[in-house]
Amino acid sequence: MPPKGKVAGKGKAPAKRRVAERFPPGEVLADTAKKQWKLGGPVGEGGFGVLYLADESSKAVGSDAPYVIKVEPSDNGPLFSELKFYMRAAKPELIQSWVRSHKLKYLGVPAYWGSGLHTKGGKRYRFMVMDRFGTDLQKIFEENGKQFSRKTVLQLGLRLLDILEYIHEHEYVHADIKASNLLLSYKHPNQVYLVDYGLAYRYCPEGNIKDYKEDPKRCHDGTIEFTSIDAHRGAAPSRRGDIEILAYCMIQWLCGRLPWEDNLQDPNYVRDAKLRCRENISDFISNCFSTKEKPDEMIKFMEEVKSLGYTDRPPYQKLRVILQAGLKSIGSSDDDKLDFSVSANGPASSLGKKPTKRKSAQEREASVEEAASVPARKKAKSPTKKDGSMLKRKPSPRKKLVEMGTQTSPSIERGRGRGRPKKNA
């Protein structure tokens, strides 16, 4: 299957990376803490690395192994970028402390168990040990005709708010939330984890929040259909950007597709569609759903996102209350059970599930304007905030991680043309 989203970053092309070589089952790797890990068979392979089943070296690595190890040549970049996040924010003791203090049943952030360098045949390899996961939500979404029930979407939103609050409070934003980066637990299928921190950005190093600044070379970074308006303009990822991306994901999971999915090859078209939809959120939601079964909680959720400044801390609890009210409105509650069958509570989509024919430029323009019910203004100007939250001017002109146990990790293989923000040390 081709990559779900296409990225249209305009930055400099990444340096050519070496393809990883396969290790035989039984190979032992020692991490930086001198703990030894034994590899099993490969369960995923991308362009730059291999994913293996693994266990502690004293145990046989069976098909039910609880860990996986990502291995890639040491001079490649994706895994190195992820390691920065995991070593700072995903140590098991940090996660467990957060779970206890916030009275959560679990937190969907993969735990970091170790990493190191391994030499074989005169070549050096970097590796990282992680928990093993099950299938990804993109696969389930497509198997279900590209729709989840309203109850399930709202519960996923609640779990993701828990995850985002945690990583935000540990100085990072994710910047690439999407169904293919959400994995079910291998042993607990009602638990969902956000993975792939290859684009994670340290927005607040040592407690100092970075200011809004546009960089034309970084315009449209991320997965094009979900990426934030800030990213479309070339600004670095932010907390409000993560919440905006989550909103787009929930809407797509509910109705099947987003209005701008007819022309993802044109990042400026996608950007302008999101801008117009933000101007009239109610009409945007009405365009995605039948009027009778419109999920009002999504209007309120997006209004909260719209009100956020670039450096603002999102109102996580207020957003939870909005989603919980949505559950109550359909006579349901957050029971910690994820049912991926489309129930009667799922809103009907006015967009349909079948791909539409490619529209002409004039038809695309009319479609976007109808979604927002506002006339197009090529040279419209409006007041701007210092943080860029209401900026209207045109600025100058990221394969899926999935079953950690059966498929390829997105940190190992990226979508074509995937832009990458600069990482902080």
Side-chain angles (χ1 to χ4, degrees):
M1 185 182 71
K4 176 68 178 73
K6 299 176 179 60
V7 176
K10 300 289 185 179
K12 185 178 180 180
K16 186 176 181 180
R17 303 183 181 120
R18 292 192 298 111
V19 177
E21 296 179 13
R22 288 200 177 196
F23 294 158
E27 185 90 8
V28 175
L29 285 62
D31 64 23
T32 55
K34 308 302 180 184
K35 185 170 182 177
Q36 295 187 327
W37 302 88
K38 185 185 295 182
L39 297 183
V43 292
E45 184 171 3
F48 314 120
V50 182
L51 192 70
Y52 299 87
L53 287 180
D55 210 331
E56 298 176 17
S57 62
S58 61
K59 302 178 181 179
V61 185
S63 59
D64 59 346
Y67 303 100
V68 291
I69 293 183
K70 295 181 182 182
V71 183
E72 70 174 22
S74 62
D75 54 356
N76 287 356
L79 184 53
F80 179 73
S81 299
E82 276 201 285
L83 270 170
K84 291 182 180 180
F85 166 80
Y86 280 106
M87 295 177 74
R88 285 193 178 103
K91 293 178 181 179
E93 58 270 24
L94 279 177
I95 294 174
Q96 288 309 311
S97 175
W98 182 274
V99 168
R100 289 191 297 269
S101 65
H102 288 73
K103 299 179 180 180
L104 302 177
K105 294 184 179 179
Y106 81 101
L107 181 69
V109 175
Y112 163 81
W113 295 106
S115 62
L117 292 170
H118 182 70
T119 302
K120 186 176 180 65
K123 299 178 180 178
R124 285 162 62 86
Y125 299 85
R126 182 179 287 108
F127 69 89
M128 180 171 69
V129 186
M130 297 176 59
D131 289 316
R132 179 182 183 180
F133 295 103
T135 191
D136 71 285
L137 296 196
Q138 183 64 29
K139 181 178 181 181
I140 300 173
F141 184 61
E142 292 175 355
E143 289 175 347
N144 281 352
K146 293 192 174 183
Q147 190 173 18
F148 288 151
S149 72
R150 191 166 169 184
K151 174 179 181 290
T152 297
V153 172
L154 295 175
Q155 287 183 290
L156 289 171
L158 289 167
R159 299 296 82 77
L160 277 157
L161 284 172
D162 290 341
I163 295 167
L164 293 177
E165 182 176 13
Y166 173 82
I167 67 174
H168 293 171
E169 292 300 305
H170 287 80
E171 303 185 345
Y172 278 87
V173 291
H174 188 275
D176 198 26
I177 302 150
K178 55 184 176 180
S180 59
N181 283 340
L182 289 166
L183 308 186
L184 298 182
S185 167
Y186 181 63
K187 294 184 177 180
H188 306 284
N190 285 309
Q191 296 183 1
V192 63
Y193 286 75
L194 178 62
V195 302
D196 192 355
Y197 293 80
L199 286 186
Y201 178 77
R202 197 177 180 198
Y203 77 96
C204 185
E206 309 302 330
N208 298 311
I209 301 177
K210 296 197 171 185
D211 293 329
Y212 183 91
K213 184 179 180 180
E214 296 180 10
D215 181 353
K217 295 181 180 179
R218 295 170 57 173
C219 287
H220 316 298
D221 279 354
T223 301
I224 195 69
E225 56 263 61
F226 307 117
T227 200
S228 69
I229 292 172
D230 288 333
H232 278 297
R233 290 168 162 163
S238 66
R239 289 174 292 183
R240 77 170 178 189
D242 270 357
I243 304 299
E244 180 185 348
I245 294 169
L246 172 57
Y248 295 147
C249 286
M250 288 192 291
I251 292 169
Q252 189 207 55
W253 299 338
L254 282 168
C255 73
R257 61 191 298 271
L258 296 161
W260 45 82
E261 288 188 51
D262 65 316
N263 190 21
L264 296 178
Q265 292 75 25
D266 185 346
N268 290 328
Y269 166 76
V270 176
R271 177 202 63 207
D272 293 345
K274 291 175 183 175
L275 284 166
R276 292 180 178 123
C277 290
R278 189 178 70 173
E279 290 177 357
N280 196 325
I281 293 171
S282 180
D283 280 2
F284 164 52
I285 296 298
S286 295
N287 186 49
C288 294
F289 303 91
S290 63
T291 303
K292 182 179 179 180
E293 300 182 37
K294 180 170 60 177
D296 292 332
E297 66 272 10
M298 292 314 305
I299 296 177
K300 296 176 181 177
F301 194 97
M302 292 196 70
E303 290 287 358
E304 287 297 323
V305 176
K306 181 179 179 179
S307 70
L308 287 172
Y310 180 75
T311 62
D312 287 349
R313 180 182 186 274
Y316 306 101
Q317 187 55 32
K318 186 174 183 180
L319 293 170
R320 290 188 186 96
V321 170
I322 290 172
L323 300 187
Q324 289 163 347
L327 285 169
K328 186 176 180 180
S329 73
I330 58 174
S332 191
S333 63
D334 185 11
D335 57 8
D336 301 315
K337 295 178 181 179
L338 297 176
D339 182 358
F340 290 104
S341 61
V342 178
S343 72
N345 290 331
S349 168
S350 64
L351 293 177
K353 299 184 180 70
K354 295 183 180 180
T356 58
K357 294 181 180 180
R358 182 68 176 270
K359 296 180 179 180
S360 67
Q362 293 85 354
E363 290 172 325
R364 290 198 300 268
E365 181 71 11
S367 174
V368 174
E369 292 180 23
E370 181 181 357
S373 296
V374 295
R377 292 172 294 177
K378 294 183 179 179
K379 297 184 179 180
K381 297 182 179 180
S382 62
T384 62
K385 291 185 178 180
K386 184 177 181 180
D387 65 7
S389 59
M390 293 299 292
L391 194 61
K392 297 295 294 181
R393 67 181 179 84
K394 277 192 177 181
S396 304
R398 155 177 192 230
K399 165 176 189 197
K400 92 183 192 179
L401 173 61
V402 289
E403 301 178 17
M404 277 204 171
T406 59
Q407 296 189 27
T408 307
S409 165
S411 315
I412 293 176
E413 179 166 357
R414 302 287 177 185
R416 293 174 292 173
R418 184 157 269 188
R420 182 177 305 281
K422 296 178 183 178
K423 301 294 186 289
N424 296 284

